[in-house]
Amino acid sequence: MTVPVATGAGRASRSREPRRPGQRDQARRPRRARSADDRAAGGTGLPWPLGVLAGLGLLVLVLPLLALVVRAPWRRLPALVADPASTQALTLSVGTAAVSTLVCLLLGVPLAWVLARSDVPGRPLLRALVTVPLVLPPVVGGVGLLLLLGRRGLLGLYLDLWFGVRLPFTTAAVVLAQVFVSLPFLVVAVEGALRGADRRYEAVAATLGASRWRVLTHVTLPLVAPGVVAGAVLCFARALGEFGATVTFAGSFPGVTRTVPLSVYVLLETDPDAAVALSLVLLAVSVAVLVGLRDRWVGALR
């Protein structure tokens, strides 16, 4: 007696499907034969003009970094990085970048949830506003922060009059400038993760009686945790390298607002070797972040 099996029947039915004339099983063909057909058709091969232009584009990106590595004072590098002024700038940069990343997590995850899951009117416009700092010159962002929170700013005037709070040219101003430029990185990464998450798990949890808050904390956030981590790491790296908005809104005061990028800019005129050493530190952090994330950041943009 023959027992019908679903999978076998499926394979049998697929095997009985009529093939178009000339159609062959591509998966069973040798790779060499497929490559020969591709070259003959000119479909998947890279035309040489595109290859040359792609190589030139890669050189534009790589050569400045290569020059930085080649001209670095490797023998003096440990002493230059351990210099008190350098360690002060590094400590300030790492501290402010960590605080700004926490602020971005606190504000960015709910904002990403609104963009990915809610039906608020004008959501495309809201998304455009969120991503404006990605393309806006950071100096312009610093000017905006100064006009908003400066002593004569729209809000800064009242903060000074009512509470005696003055934000410009303080360490808090550094954090605000870093949050302004790095928050979109986190929002975009988390929004992509939320859109790619399988919502059936949330529906099952809801049908089992879980509240919205419990579904969010026990189902949704664990599902998008890789995206949140990727966004936080990118956010930290962007805050660590922030320059334009910081120098405009917070100034450059040693030990208070002079972060590593500002120190590099100042040291280029007084001690170029120290500037190169600190630049190498920022380059190492950036490479480590990208190697750690691999393609997760690109996937978040899809």
Side-chain angles (χ1 to χ4, degrees), residues 226-247:
V228 175
V229 173
V233 173
L234 280 170
C235 188
F236 178 82
R238 179 63 186 90
L240 200 64
E242 163 50 28
F243 177 83
T246 303
V247 75

Side-chain angles (χ1 to χ4, degrees), residues 93-105:
S93 289
V94 172
T96 54
V99 173
S100 64
T101 302
L102 291 176
V103 174
C104 288
L105 281 170

Side-chain angles (χ1 to χ4, degrees), residues 199-292:
R199 301 190 67 174
R200 288 177 295 181
Y201 294 102
E202 302 172 5
V204 169
T207 56
L208 292 176
S211 63
R212 286 189 175 183
W213 177 252
R214 191 171 181 82
V215 171
L216 174 65
T217 56
H218 288 70
V219 179
T220 306
L221 287 181
L223 282 175
V224 301
V228 175
V229 173
V233 173
L234 280 170
C235 188
F236 178 82
R238 179 63 186 90
L240 200 64
E242 163 50 28
F243 177 83
T246 303
V247 75
T248 306
F249 183 50
S252 178
F253 301 101
V256 180
T257 64
R258 184 173 293 176
T259 56
V260 172
L262 273 64
S263 295
V264 171
Y265 181 76
V266 173
L267 289 172
L268 274 177
E269 295 184 355
T270 58
D271 191 353
D273 287 346
V276 174
L278 289 177
S279 300
L280 280 177
V281 172
L282 292 179
L283 176 62
V285 172
S286 301
V287 172
V289 167
L290 293 178
V291 170

Side-chain angles (χ1 to χ4, degrees), residues 18-272:
R19 292 181 177 177
R20 295 189 297 273
Q23 180 182 7
R24 299 180 62 182
D25 189 355
Q26 295 293 329
R28 294 182 178 179
R29 294 183 61 198
R31 181 180 301 176
R32 183 178 300 176
R34 294 200 303 268
S35 300
D37 290 351
D38 292 340
R39 287 195 298 271
T44 59
L46 180 66
W48 68 266
L50 290 183
V52 171
L53 293 176
L56 290 176
L58 184 62
L59 290 177
V60 169
L61 297 175
V62 172
L63 285 182
L65 305 180
L66 184 62
L68 185 64
V69 174
V70 171
R71 298 298 297 272
W74 292 103
R75 293 182 178 179
R76 298 179 55 208
L77 188 64
L80 291 172
V81 175
D83 184 79
S86 299
T87 56
Q88 187 182 57
L90 283 169
T91 303
L92 181 63
S93 289
V94 172
T96 54
V99 173
S100 64
T101 302
L102 291 176
V103 174
C104 288
L105 281 170
L106 183 64
L107 304 178
V109 174
L111 187 54
W113 190 89
V114 169
L115 292 175
R117 297 290 180 83
S118 70
D119 296 325
V120 294
R123 193 171 54 175
L125 176 60
L126 180 60
R127 182 179 293 108
L129 292 176
V130 169
T131 53
V132 161
L134 290 176
V135 296
L136 189 71
V139 174
V140 178
V143 173
L145 288 171
L146 201 58
L147 294 176
L148 177 67
L149 299 171
R151 293 184 59 183
R152 297 181 181 275
L154 296 177
L155 295 179
L157 176 64
Y158 299 101
L159 289 175
D160 190 10
L161 289 177
W162 294 347
F163 307 105
V165 175
R166 298 175 182 177
L167 289 174
F169 310 110
T170 63
T171 305
V174 177
V175 174
L176 286 173
Q178 292 174 344
V179 169
F180 178 81
V181 299
S182 58
L183 181 60
F185 288 85
L186 184 123
V187 173
V188 170
V190 177
E191 184 190 358
L194 284 168
R195 289 182 179 277
D198 192 345
R199 301 190 67 174
R200 288 177 295 181
Y201 294 102
E202 302 172 5
V204 169
T207 56
L208 292 176
S211 63
R212 286 189 175 183
W213 177 252
R214 191 171 181 82
V215 171
L216 174 65
T217 56
H218 288 70
V219 179
T220 306
L221 287 181
L223 282 175
V224 301
V228 175
V229 173
V233 173
L234 280 170
C235 188
F236 178 82
R238 179 63 186 90
L240 200 64
E242 163 50 28
F243 177 83
T246 303
V247 75
T248 306
F249 183 50
S252 178
F253 301 101
V256 180
T257 64
R258 184 173 293 176
T259 56
V260 172
L262 273 64
S263 295
V264 171
Y265 181 76
V266 173
L267 289 172
L268 274 177
E269 295 184 355
T270 58
D271 191 353

